[in-house]
Amino acid sequence: MPDLKVLIVEDDEDVRLGCLQALELEGLTVIGAKCVEQVPRMAAQDFPGVVVTDIRMPGMDGMAYLRQLVEADADLPVILITGHGDVATAVQAMRDGAYDFIQKPFSPEQLVGVVQRALEKRRLTMEVRALRRQVAAIGGLESRIVGRSAAVVELRALVQDLAATPTDVMILGETGCGKELIARCLHDLSGRTGPFVALNCGGLPETLFESEIFGHEAGAFSGAAKQRIGKVEHAQRGTLFLDEIESMPMAMQVKFLRVLQERVVERLGSNRLIPVDFRVIAATKADLGALSEEGKFRADLHFRLNVATIDLPPLRDRREDIPLLFQYFVSQAALRLDRPAPEIRDSHIRELMAHKWRGNVRELRNEAERYVLGLKSSIGQGTSDTPAPLSQTVEVFERGIIAEELRRQHGNISRAAEALRIAKTTLFDKIRKYGIETAPLV
């Protein structure tokens, strides 16, 4: 955890220097500014310290600054410096979320005491946030992003690395690959205190899109009987997940780009700009670059969203994960349907391994539910795919069998070789050839 800091915002130079000196003598790291506009740029949500600010200042006053900070992070301790006659204002500020206030003139000891208590509170808050992220990362990702293939191991590491950053993310993948699952994992590990707000851009009529995204005031249009908070505003301090972003109408793309750049939203029928703090995770199965060249998607919005990219592999490219995924989905379906989990036949696993999986993980989950219900398998029905070359089919099947046996043997290569009835050196060669993860399951 970084060293905690104290930010002093005070326009009276003598008072500001006195505060800086008193806190520095206690060994604290202190930053001074004479007004809010000169405060070094910082993310209030993760600011490692506390803020001490005067109420009466030129430019933005302390009360407005308090509201801005508390809106970004309700747990950030803000201490107000009040002048004579400002006590009533300070009491109101305490109701609005201020940690404490001190009245001029005050002694160095009084300042140090209040600041140290606030720093201890901030330290505990940040430790709890860090622990929650660690617990979620250690125990959550492997149980949510299921698989042992090299592609999935790399995917889990990328999700963990990107989660805590404020960067907007673009998730690419075919239908059924689990784009919303990855978006939820990113949100849950981010430490953001607001909600996860999902919107399918392809499921909204164009006439309702602007109202759904930006919200509206009562009477803004025919049928708008009362005020409505839009998805952007609802995602305050949280995550806005836009699925099928390629379906967003062109007129809305222009307006949404402005919201992304300015981080303010304006409801329909209102002239008031509302500051918003949200992270965008967009998902698409389309090639947005190609759509931009064809004039079907704005290139500037594509560039703005495409800062960090997660490319989800289709299930056919990680077939070694199919046995583990199917077992996982069967267990979940049995619990949900209140039925005993049936024994999974080896012959059925072989059929699963040979299937094309055009619906990816979603199709496999549906197949697992049918299996629990005892219904006829849908594998191979209604497909007209050209069969894969025999050599490719054999390699895919062999890779899946080896990965599954390693899972059964908890990563023990010697026992896996014995069970597969091949030499240990041969198994080593095949593991290297297929890039199979050999770490035991936890």
Side-chain angles (χ1 to χ4, degrees), residues 2 14 31 67 89 96 107 110 112 141 192 194 238 290 308 348 371 396:
D14 293 334
I31 305 169
R67 288 191 291 271
T89 304
D96 292 343
S107 67
Q110 185 181 0
V112 170
L141 283 184
R192 299 187 70 84
H348 193 62
Y371 193 79
V396 165

Side-chain angles (χ1 to χ4, degrees), residues 1-2 4 45-46 73 75 119-137 188-193:
M1 181 179 296
L4 297 186
Q45 182 179 355
D46 292 312
D73 186 349
D75 296 323
L119 285 171
E120 183 59 27
K121 179 179 184 289
R122 187 59 170 172
R123 181 179 291 106
L124 289 173
T125 298
M126 297 193 73
E127 285 178 357
V128 168
R129 287 182 182 177
L131 285 171
R132 284 176 177 168
R133 288 173 183 169
Q134 290 174 15
V135 169
D188 292 344
L189 293 177
S190 69
R192 299 187 70 84
T193 57

Side-chain angles (χ1 to χ4, degrees), residues 15-64:
V15 175
R16 184 174 70 253
L17 292 177
C19 292
L20 294 173
Q21 185 178 37
L23 296 172
E24 286 172 348
L25 288 173
E26 294 296 321
L28 300 175
T29 303
V30 193
I31 305 169
K34 69 178 182 180
C35 61
V36 175
E37 289 72 18
Q38 289 191 356
V39 171
R41 188 172 181 179
M42 66 178 195
Q45 182 179 355
D46 292 312
F47 179 64
V50 302
V51 176
V52 181
T53 178
D54 194 7
I55 288 183
R56 298 183 182 275
M57 295 183 295
M60 180 182 286
D61 64 25
M63 292 296 290

Side-chain angles (χ1 to χ4, degrees), residues 349-362:
I349 291 295
R350 287 194 291 271
E351 291 175 8
L352 298 176
M353 297 288 289
H355 188 57
K356 289 288 186 179
W357 300 113
R358 291 180 299 180
N360 291 292
V361 178
R362 183 182 299 150

Side-chain angles (χ1 to χ4, degrees), residues 175-237:
T175 298
C177 275
K179 296 187 285 293
E180 184 166 349
L181 169 65
I182 299 302
R184 287 186 178 274
C185 288
L186 287 167
H187 171 74
D188 292 344
L189 293 177
S190 69
R192 299 187 70 84
T193 57
F196 178 87
V197 180
L199 178 67
N200 189 316
C201 298
L204 275 179
E206 186 168 348
T207 53
L208 298 179
F209 210 99
E210 187 170 7
S211 173
E212 190 72 18
I213 287 274
F214 306 125
H216 64 253
E217 299 290 349
F221 52 85
S222 178
K226 59 182 181 179
Q227 183 189 77
R228 177 182 175 84
I229 302 299
K231 297 295 186 183
V232 171
E233 198 175 343
H234 183 49
Q236 178 73 356
R237 296 191 296 276

